[in-house]
Amino acid sequence: MSSRLLRSVRSGRRPAPSRPGHPHRPGHPRRLPGCPPPSPPIRPEPLLAAHAAAPRNEKAPDDPSPQPRRPLRAAGALVPLALLVACGGKPAGAAADGPPTTARFSENGVTVALSVSDRQPSKRTGTLTAVFAPEAAGFHLYSTALPPTGIEGVGRPTAVAVTGILAADGPLTAAQPVRPIRVPGVGSPVPVYPDGPVTTTLPVRASGSGDGSGDGSGDGATVLIGYASCSTRDGCTIPVSDHPVRLRVTDGVPAFGTP
C-alpha cells in the first residue's frame, strides 16, 4: 500500500483521482485534445552578404526577382523644352537671330562699349548707346557739351557722332549728372562727369542700306568716338578724337560687324 493511500485511510478521506499533467507548464509534454502540436521555435537566419550590401531599389547579384526602378527625371525636364520649341520659343541663353548689335574697343585708358537697341525697321530708326569706362580708378570724363577744344585748352568733350547713311535723329545725352570743377590757371569752371563710367545715348535714322566695305555695295555708316579722361591726382590721358567704328545697315536696321 502506498504511503498516500495509507495516509488517506488513517485520516478517513478518499484519495483524489490522479490528473494528467498541465499542457502549458514546463516539464508536462501532454496537450489538450484537438490542439495542434506546438510549432518549432523560429530562429533568425543571418542575411546573405549580397543582400546586406545591396543598396535600396537594387537587387542582389543572386536575387532573380526584379526590383522597382526610379523614373528618369531627364524625361520630365525635356517636356517643357519640347513645348517651348514647338511654340516657337527659344531656350534661355540661345543667341538671337540677326546681326550683332555690339562692338567694343579700348584706347588711351578708356574702354568704350557700343550697342544698338530699339531698332524699328519700318521707321529705319534705332538708338545708339556708348558706355565710356575709365580703366583706372579716380578718372573722370568731360561733358558732351564741352567745346571741341575744351575750355582754354583744358579737356575734350565726350562725343558720339555718325556719318554715311546713318544720321543723328536727336541730341546726344548722358545718364550721369554734370558737375563743375576748378582747374588751376583756368578762369572758368570745367564741366565733368563723376569719376567712373558714363553712358550716352544717340537716336539714329538710316537713309539707305550698305556695309561700308568700300566695294561699291553701299557706303554704310561710321560711328566717330571722342573723349578724354583726367584725374585730379594722376593727370590726364592723351585725348581720343574721331575713333571710327563701322556700322552696316540692312533693310533699315543698323548693326555692327561684317555681313
Side-chain angles (χ1 to χ4, degrees):
M1 179 179 297
S2 64
S3 60
R4 182 179 180 183
L5 180 58
L6 180 61
R7 286 195 302 269
S8 301
V9 172
R10 289 178 180 178
S11 61
R13 293 181 301 177
R14 296 179 61 182
S18 299
R19 295 179 297 177
H22 197 281
H24 298 293
R25 291 181 181 176
H28 295 77
R30 297 183 181 182
R31 56 185 176 89
L32 295 177
C35 294
S39 302
I42 301 176
R43 299 179 180 178
E45 297 182 0
L47 294 175
L48 295 178
H51 285 272
R56 184 180 299 178
N57 291 337
E58 295 183 7
K59 64 178 182 178
D62 57 345
D63 189 356
S65 60
Q67 298 293 333
R69 296 181 180 180
R70 295 181 180 178
L72 295 177
R73 297 183 179 179
L78 293 177
V79 174
L81 180 61
L83 293 177
L84 181 62
V85 174
C87 295
K90 291 185 177 182
D97 293 335
T101 59
T102 60
R104 181 187 299 267
F105 72 91
S106 297
E107 186 177 358
N108 294 354
V110 176
T111 298
V112 181
L114 300 168
S115 62
V116 179
S117 60
D118 301 329
R119 298 184 295 176
Q120 301 183 36
S122 60
K123 298 181 180 179
R124 309 178 72 84
T125 60
T127 300
L128 178 62
T129 300
V131 180
F132 300 80
E135 297 172 354
F139 278 78
H140 59 258
L141 295 164
Y142 293 90
S143 168
T144 59
L146 197 70
T149 57
I151 296 179
E152 300 182 20
V154 174
R156 291 294 184 271
T158 302
V160 179
V162 288
T163 62
I165 59 175
L166 204 62
D169 200 34
L172 177 68
T173 59
Q176 283 69 26
V178 174
R179 62 184 181 91
I181 61 172
R182 288 288 182 176
V183 178
V186 178
S188 301
V190 179
V192 300
Y193 296 111
D195 294 353
V198 176
T199 301
T200 63
T201 54
L202 178 69
V204 294
R205 181 182 297 273
S207 58
S209 295
D211 57 16
S213 60
D215 59 359
S217 60
D219 295 334
T222 303
V223 182
L224 300 176
I225 302 295
Y227 55 85
S229 63
C230 282
S231 168
T232 55
R233 183 189 64 183
D234 300 324
C236 299
T237 61
I238 299 175
V240 173
S241 179
D242 294 339
H243 180 104
V245 180
R246 302 297 180 184
L247 266 173
R248 63 187 177 94
V249 181
T250 305
D251 297 330
V253 177
F256 294 99
T258 56

